[in-house]
Amino acid sequence: MKLTSTSPNLLDMQAPMPSESPSSSIVVKDEKEKTIPFLRQLTEMLQNNEELISFVPGQRLPHEIIHGKIIVHDRNRVQSEVLPIYFNHASFASLRRQLSYFSFVRVGKSRQSGVTYTNDAVVDLPDILKLKRRTATRQAGGAVKRQGQKKS
């Protein structure tokens, strides 16, 4: 079935832009700027599951920067209920590895209920979308060192 319109007003109508979606609380200002899918999914997961995994924003003070934190409140429920929705797996180890690729580090080594991850480049949630994946560099002797890692 072919639809035709003789009204010029219908032809002048434009479809809404995809970035103008009301359901998105983080808006990318430049549509040409691409974000990494893992980071988009991570920010969405942090916004929608605050009781299980949350983001605590930091602050930019005149003489100090307090970094934002990702806090995992219930690892088992994140693994079974949240990860399958946002990623193609239910493995907390895989999430931890991905966070490491983007230079997130775990704070503390205790087996407490709330595990915390920070990144020196993240103060607010939108900062996560600006992150770049670490790259591997060769050291003397052929060892591979990931950029951003401390020497051991």
Side-chain angles (χ1 to χ4, degrees):
M1 173 183 220
K2 184 177 179 183
L3 296 177
T4 58
S5 173
T6 56
S7 170
N9 292 338
L10 292 177
L11 297 174
D12 292 338
M13 292 176 58
Q14 293 180 354
M17 298 298 291
S19 65
E20 297 173 355
S21 167
S23 65
S24 175
S25 59
I26 294 180
V27 178
V28 177
K29 292 181 181 178
D30 183 8
E31 285 185 343
K32 294 179 182 178
E33 181 181 334
K34 304 267 185 193
T35 56
I36 297 169
F38 168 75
L39 299 176
R40 284 194 309 264
Q41 293 297 97
L42 177 63
T43 55
E44 187 176 329
M45 178 179 72
L46 292 169
Q47 290 173 342
N48 297 331
N49 299 282
E50 291 182 354
E51 69 282 354
L52 301 177
I53 183 168
S54 62
F55 180 79
V56 178
Q59 291 181 326
R60 288 181 175 92
L61 302 173
H63 300 291
E64 180 183 20
I65 294 177
I66 300 171
H67 303 292
K69 301 180 274 191
I70 294 174
I71 302 175
V72 180
H73 302 288
D74 188 335
R75 176 184 168 157
N76 293 330
R77 286 186 61 202
V78 167
Q79 194 167 262
S80 64
E81 299 172 23
V82 178
L83 293 180
I85 295 171
Y86 295 95
F87 305 105
N88 293 328
H89 61 78
S91 169
F92 193 81
S94 181
L95 175 66
R96 194 173 54 226
R97 187 178 315 111
Q98 285 286 346
L99 289 172
S100 176
Y101 287 152
F102 291 96
S103 299
F104 280 92
V105 293
R106 181 175 170 168
V107 177
K109 299 293 179 192
S110 67
R111 294 193 178 264
Q112 60 193 21
S113 60
V115 178
T116 302
Y117 296 89
T118 63
N119 180 312
D120 290 344
V122 176
V123 176
D124 297 314
L125 192 61
D127 292 340
I128 291 175
L129 296 174
K130 300 172 190 171
L131 294 176
K132 301 291 182 210
R133 189 173 170 144
R134 290 185 317 193
T135 58
T137 57
R138 292 266 174 207
Q139 292 181 316
V144 175
K145 177 189 174 208
R146 296 223 177 253
Q147 220 171 11
Q149 280 185 335
K150 296 178 183 174
K151 284 186 177 181
S152 43

